[in-house]
Amino acid sequence: LGFSIYIGIDTEKFHPSSKLGFKVKRKHDLFPRQSVILYSARLVEQKNPFLFVKIIKELSLSKIDFVSFIVGE
Protein backbone atom coordinates (compact mmCIF):
# COMPACT_ATOMS: atom_id res chain seq x y z
CA LEU A 1 0.00 0.00 0.00
CA GLY A 2 1.50 3.32 -0.97
CA PHE A 3 0.17 6.62 -2.12
CA SER A 4 0.88 10.30 -1.78
CA ILE A 5 -1.32 13.33 -1.90
CA TYR A 6 0.58 16.23 -3.41
CA ILE A 7 -1.09 19.57 -2.85
CA GLY A 8 0.92 22.51 -4.12
CA ILE A 9 4.01 20.45 -5.01
CA ASP A 10 5.27 20.31 -8.57
CA THR A 11 5.89 16.58 -8.95
CA GLU A 12 7.69 17.20 -12.24
CA LYS A 13 10.41 19.08 -10.31
CA PHE A 14 10.38 17.23 -6.99
CA HIS A 15 11.50 13.61 -6.98
CA PRO A 16 12.03 12.20 -3.49
CA SER A 17 15.07 9.98 -3.11
CA SER A 18 14.52 6.45 -1.78
CA LYS A 19 18.14 6.49 -0.53
CA LEU A 20 17.36 9.57 1.55
CA GLY A 21 14.24 7.85 2.85
CA PHE A 22 16.26 4.88 4.09
CA LYS A 23 18.80 7.23 5.64
CA VAL A 24 16.06 9.08 7.55
CA LYS A 25 14.47 5.81 8.67
CA ARG A 26 17.81 4.54 9.95
CA LYS A 27 18.44 7.81 11.82
CA HIS A 28 15.07 7.54 13.61
CA ASP A 29 15.27 3.78 14.27
CA LEU A 30 12.43 2.92 11.90
CA PHE A 31 12.12 -0.32 9.96
CA PRO A 32 12.99 -0.13 6.23
CA ARG A 33 9.55 -1.34 5.09
CA GLN A 34 7.63 0.72 7.64
CA SER A 35 5.45 3.41 6.05
CA VAL A 36 5.96 7.00 7.12
CA ILE A 37 2.95 9.31 7.05
CA LEU A 38 3.81 12.99 7.25
CA TYR A 39 1.61 15.99 7.89
CA SER A 40 3.64 19.03 6.91
CA ALA A 41 1.68 22.27 7.13
CA ARG A 42 0.71 25.12 9.38
CA LEU A 43 -1.41 23.88 12.26
CA VAL A 44 -4.43 26.01 11.45
CA GLU A 45 -8.07 25.15 10.77
CA GLN A 46 -7.67 25.95 7.06
CA LYS A 47 -5.15 23.09 6.70
CA ASN A 48 -7.46 20.65 8.54
CA PRO A 49 -4.98 18.91 10.87
CA PHE A 50 -7.88 17.11 12.58
CA LEU A 51 -8.54 15.19 9.36
CA PHE A 52 -4.97 13.89 9.56
CA VAL A 53 -5.53 12.83 13.16
CA LYS A 54 -8.78 11.07 12.18
CA ILE A 55 -7.05 9.22 9.32
CA ILE A 56 -4.18 8.15 11.58
CA LYS A 57 -6.65 6.89 14.17
CA GLU A 58 -8.44 4.79 11.52
CA LEU A 59 -5.16 3.45 10.14
CA SER A 60 -4.05 2.45 13.63
CA LEU A 61 -6.93 -0.05 13.64
CA SER A 62 -5.56 -1.69 10.49
CA LYS A 63 -2.63 -4.06 10.13
CA ILE A 64 -0.54 -1.44 8.34
CA ASP A 65 2.86 -0.89 9.95
CA PHE A 66 3.42 2.87 10.01
CA VAL A 67 4.61 5.85 11.98
CA SER A 68 3.27 9.35 11.65
CA PHE A 69 4.86 12.75 12.10
CA ILE A 70 3.33 16.19 12.35
CA VAL A 71 5.62 19.03 11.31
CA GLY A 72 4.36 22.58 11.40
CA GLU A 73 3.84 25.64 13.48
Side-chain angles (χ1 to χ4, degrees), residues 13 19 27 32 34 44 59:
K13 294 180 182 178
K19 288 181 184 178
K27 179 180 177 181
Q34 195 171 30
V44 296
L59 282 173

Side-chain angles (χ1 to χ4, degrees), residues 7-26:
I7 300 173
I9 296 175
D10 186 345
T11 57
E12 293 296 318
K13 294 180 182 178
F14 178 69
H15 303 282
S17 164
S18 60
K19 288 181 184 178
L20 178 60
F22 284 116
K23 195 184 269 188
V24 170
K25 286 181 177 185
R26 188 174 29 243

Side-chain angles (χ1 to χ4, degrees), residues 7-71:
I7 300 173
I9 296 175
D10 186 345
T11 57
E12 293 296 318
K13 294 180 182 178
F14 178 69
H15 303 282
S17 164
S18 60
K19 288 181 184 178
L20 178 60
F22 284 116
K23 195 184 269 188
V24 170
K25 286 181 177 185
R26 188 174 29 243
K27 179 180 177 181
H28 295 284
D29 295 324
L30 303 175
F31 297 110
R33 298 197 43 88
Q34 195 171 30
S35 296
V36 176
I37 303 172
L38 174 68
Y39 175 91
S40 176
R42 290 177 294 128
L43 298 175
V44 296
E45 185 178 353
Q46 176 188 21
K47 300 293 184 176
N48 204 0
F50 293 109
L51 176 61
F52 179 79
V53 172
K54 181 180 177 184
I55 291 168
I56 294 303
K57 183 178 177 181
E58 289 183 29
L59 282 173
S60 70
L61 301 174
S62 72
K63 294 182 179 185
I64 298 171
D65 185 18
F66 73 93
V67 295
S68 60
F69 295 95
I70 296 176
V71 181

